Amino acid sequence: DVMTQVNSDSGTSRKIQRTAAGGSKIFGHVKGDDDAYADVLLAGKDSDATAGAAAGVKFDLGLPAGLVAAQKKKGSQSLRSTPKNYGPMISKDKHGSKCFDEMLK
């Protein structure tokens, strides 16, 4: 599937192609450094058809539990210092904004 991704801030767009987890040799994919994450996700999976979900995969970075808890309490880094902007349709609707706020907690 070929899709278009649009950057709403700059107005630029690019074509992106959806392939099976781990890439597709049909489209010229060559295994490289970027495949390490896909390899973790695919570990223990029977096929690409059932792969791609990180359910049950635990990443242990060896960080102190207190630090991890503090970071989780602060929330997503991408949302910490940026005011929430749900776009004009949601922002002008109090109920819609409330629903999005709840969803992002």
Side-chain angles (χ1 to χ4, degrees), residues 11 13-14 16 21 24 32 37 39-41 43 45 53 60 71 76-77 79 81 83 90 93 96 100 104-105:
S13 65
R14 67 179 176 163
I16 57 175
S24 174
Y37 182 68
D39 290 342
V40 169
L41 295 179
K45 300 289 183 178
D60 181 12
Q71 293 298 315
S76 301
Q77 287 184 345
L79 299 175
S81 62
I90 303 297
D93 182 330
F100 271 72
L104 293 174
K105 279 187 179 179

Side-chain angles (χ1 to χ4, degrees), residues 84 86 94-105:
K84 293 180 177 116
Y86 303 131
K94 282 187 178 184
H95 175 74
S97 294
K98 181 181 176 189
C99 289
F100 271 72
D101 287 340
E102 286 295 316
M103 179 177 59
L104 293 174
K105 279 187 179 179

Side-chain angles (χ1 to χ4, degrees), residues 64-81:
L67 174 67
V68 173
Q71 293 298 315
K72 283 184 179 181
K73 186 175 180 181
K74 289 179 182 180
S76 301
Q77 287 184 345
S78 61
L79 299 175
R80 289 184 190 173
S81 62

Side-chain angles (χ1 to χ4, degrees), residues 1 31 37:
D1 298 339
K31 193 158 182 72
Y37 182 68

